[in-house]
Amino acid sequence: MARDVIVVGAGPVGLMTAGELRLGGADVVVYERLPQPTRQSRGASFTRRTAECFEQRGLLERLGPTEPADSHFGGVPIDLGMLEEDHYGHRGVSQFRTERMLEQWVGELGVPVLRGREVTALRQDGEGVVVRADGAGGPCEERAAYLVGCDGGRSTVRRLAKIAFPGTEGRRGFLTADVTGIATRKRRIGENLPGGSMVMAMDLEEGVTRVVVHEAGTPPPRDRDAVAFLDLADAWQRLTGESLHHGRCRWISCFTDASRAAAAYRSGRVFLAGDAAHVQPPAMAQGLSVGVQDAVNLGWKLAAVTAGRAGEELLDTYHAERHPVGAQLARNARAAIELRLSGEDMDPVREVVGELLSHPDAAAYAAGMLSNLGVRYDLAKGDHPLLGRRMPPARALTLADGTRTTVARLLHTGHGLLLTTPGADPRLTAAAREFTGLDTVTATWTTTPADEAADAVLVRPDGYVAWTAPGTADTLTDALARWFGGR
């Protein structure tokens, strides 16, 4: 019997996608090319919104201790302390640590992760997708209703699905390594150097320092596998006068300033998420973060369609909502890299950007782009300030029995939420009972700004507000049908 979904790639995005699908009741399997989890750790930070996505599923605390991550745009700092809302991300979290946490979670949910299975071909028809893969036992084929490619910037799934990947070629080369045994001064958001060079050093975990070097005029390496720690250490010494040669390199890689976004996030029954859909320099903690948010947007929708709870048209909202985010990410990355690495000629522009970011409104806008708290989807017509935005997961409620809880805790199930106050029209909860994948909770808001008060709020499984009363022109029945009933 065919599965509901095959996810290709067991990185953070693939594992998060698989977990979201399973929470929604889908029969899902993960294919991973590598035979064992890698100790490589390209991602070392994630944004505030990604932390909230983990918190919505009860996963953030599983990561253990992290540090708050400062914000900047192209090396120009943003003072997050002057903003009313918390935009601080999390840093010092190796990608290996995130993957290990997510793989444990999907294992608890019963999702098989098949390692050493490399996708080589696919074909799709009106009923599903047939995936061919090579593994230890030889070639095999498996059929599923849908396929999600989370297999990175060089995505095989994207290539096989013939999805275009427009953008800019890399012109600059960067070296990055995780090093032990060094005590260099920390440069957590990076330090600009004369001529357009840059160095960065941040704590990754106890005793491990993430080091990044860009030496102006250095083109992208032709052979990633040929990059050696000596190359990085020599460049660091030329730029800073400090020696890292005595350090022990746990992992080294390189990247470029290429920036691309897929022309489509969907081709028939094939979807893309994460780096398979968008790549950019890992200089703003955006790649992994936006990929996890892709997963949280797509997973519940795909699960609802495979279970028959929603119609196929729900899947079209994935590209409509996430493609603009990926395109903005690609644009922002290009702008930030030029601002950071264009040398002294860019100093006047940096000064102007710094002055602009000293104003709370401008800082809030820029911080919202970088924290991803500024994402707003076109979900319904209305004027409520939360409509189309994420419901803050830390927002507290008091239940009828006096128990205090938060929106995040109520979203652990992966269901949608209809939150009503005791004085709300009882017909609202009656209408919601006709729909599955939706929890109805009556509670008093313990903490909420006056302008965001509402008698009832419909929150999608990904945490975004799809309807409010008052404040939305559509009826609750219309909103429920669109997001939970397929009508």
Side-chain angles (χ1 to χ4, degrees):
M1 185 175 179
R3 293 187 186 272
D4 292 328
V5 184
I6 296 172
V7 174
V8 180
V13 178
L15 293 170
M16 194 73 191
T17 302
E20 293 291 296
L21 284 161
R22 189 72 197 103
L23 280 180
D27 177 15
V28 57
V29 64
V30 179
Y31 285 8
E32 169 54 49
R33 176 180 58 85
L34 298 176
Q36 298 293 333
T38 176
R39 293 290 299 188
Q40 295 184 0
S41 190
R42 295 182 181 277
S45 305
F46 49 82
T47 65
R48 181 66 184 175
R49 180 56 192 155
T50 300
E52 291 182 347
C53 289
F54 289 149
E55 187 180 13
Q56 288 175 175
R57 301 299 184 251
L59 300 174
L60 187 60
E61 62 185 19
R62 294 190 182 204
L63 280 173
T66 64
E67 295 182 0
D70 299 325
S71 187
H72 68 95
F73 188 81
V76 180
I78 302 173
D79 181 6
L80 300 181
M82 68 178 173
L83 306 182
E84 292 184 8
E85 192 163 24
D86 182 1
H87 287 266
Y88 284 97
H90 293 245
R91 71 174 174 222
V93 188
S94 66
Q95 185 168 320
F96 172 77
R97 187 169 144 199
T98 302
E99 288 178 6
R100 182 174 57 192
M101 177 273 288
L102 290 172
E103 186 159 5
Q104 181 182 14
W105 176 54
V106 301
E108 293 168 3
L109 294 174
V111 177
V113 178
L114 305 182
R115 295 191 173 274
R117 187 167 290 195
E118 182 174 7
V119 172
T120 58
L122 66 86
R123 63 182 187 275
Q124 58 175 315
D125 54 35
E127 301 299 322
V129 183
V130 177
V131 178
R132 183 177 177 83
D134 288 339
C140 64
E141 284 192 348
E142 185 169 13
R143 187 177 183 86
Y146 297 95
L147 173 69
V148 184
C150 306
D151 51 341
R154 300 179 179 182
S155 172
T156 298
V157 171
R158 186 184 64 235
R159 175 176 57 81
L160 293 173
K162 296 181 173 57
I163 297 175
F165 202 41
T168 60
E169 295 289 345
R171 297 185 294 115
R172 301 177 175 96
F174 300 75
L175 299 176
T176 182
D178 294 343
V179 187
T180 61
I182 61 174
T184 186
R185 175 171 59 85
K186 298 301 179 284
R187 303 153 169 96
R188 292 185 175 89
I189 69 170
E191 180 179 321
N192 293 355
L193 298 173
S197 296
M198 183 272 291
V199 295
M200 188 192 82
M202 61 175 283
D203 296 324
L204 188 59
E205 52 192 34
E206 187 174 353
V208 181
T209 302
R210 165 63 54 84
V211 179
V212 179
V213 177
H214 167 68
E215 191 169 15
T218 304
R222 293 184 177 182
D223 184 359
R224 292 187 177 187
D225 295 333
V227 173
F229 179 59
L230 181 63
D231 299 325
L232 183 148
D234 286 349
W236 183 277
Q237 189 164 33
R238 285 193 296 269
L239 293 173
T240 69
E242 303 171 359
S243 175
L244 303 181
H245 292 84
H246 60 284
R248 294 178 296 279
C249 180
R250 291 178 48 171
W251 168 77
I252 186 166
S253 186
C254 59
F255 59 91
T256 77
D257 59 346
S259 183
R260 296 181 177 276
Y265 281 21
R266 178 189 184 187
S267 175
R269 291 177 172 268
V270 177
F271 296 82
L272 302 176
D275 285 355
H278 42 76
V279 296
Q280 62 288 313
M284 298 187 295
Q286 295 289 301
L288 180 152
S289 295
V290 174
V292 168
Q293 292 165 55
D294 292 341
V296 174
N297 184 285
L298 176 62
W300 69 273
K301 297 174 181 177
L302 202 48
V305 172
T306 59
R309 296 191 300 270
E312 183 83 11
E313 63 274 10
L314 181 62
L315 300 179
D316 292 332
T317 66
Y318 172 61
H319 173 90
E321 292 173 3
R322 296 305 298 170
H323 187 268
V325 175
Q328 184 189 65
L329 172 63
R331 181 206 68 180
N332 290 351
R334 291 194 298 271
I337 285 291
E338 293 303 321
L339 183 64
R340 162 148 251 168
L341 300 178
S342 291
E344 289 81 357
D345 289 346
M346 190 65 75
D347 283 346
V349 179
R350 295 187 188 104
E351 291 179 10
V352 171
V353 172
E355 290 175 6
L356 290 173
L357 293 180
S358 69
H359 296 275
D361 287 349
Y365 179 80
M369 284 197 310
L370 298 169
S371 67
N372 310 134
L373 299 189
V375 171
R376 185 169 197 166
Y377 301 137
D378 183 15
L379 304 188
K381 295 180 180 178
D383 57 7
H384 193 280
L386 282 178
L387 191 61
R389 296 189 181 276
R390 106 284 187 221
M391 170 63 77
R395 193 65 55 84
L397 308 95
T398 303
L399 305 178
D401 63 2
T403 302
R404 291 192 60 166
T405 189
T406 63
V407 172
R409 293 194 191 101
L410 295 175
L411 287 170
H412 284 186
T413 62
H415 294 171
L417 286 172
L418 177 63
L419 301 171
T420 63
T421 60
D425 188 335
R427 290 175 294 181
L428 298 178
T429 56
R433 293 192 188 103
E434 300 180 15
F435 297 86
T436 56
L438 180 68
D439 298 331
T440 301
V441 176
T442 299
T444 300
W445 293 104
T446 308
T447 56
T448 189
D451 64 334
E452 294 181 3
D455 295 331
V457 179
L458 180 66
V459 184
R460 302 191 319 185
D462 58 357
Y464 285 81
V465 176
W467 178 88
T468 65
T472 307
D474 299 334
T475 67
L476 175 60
T477 301
D478 290 336
L480 290 170
R482 181 180 184 190
W483 302 113
F484 298 96
R487 294 194 296 275

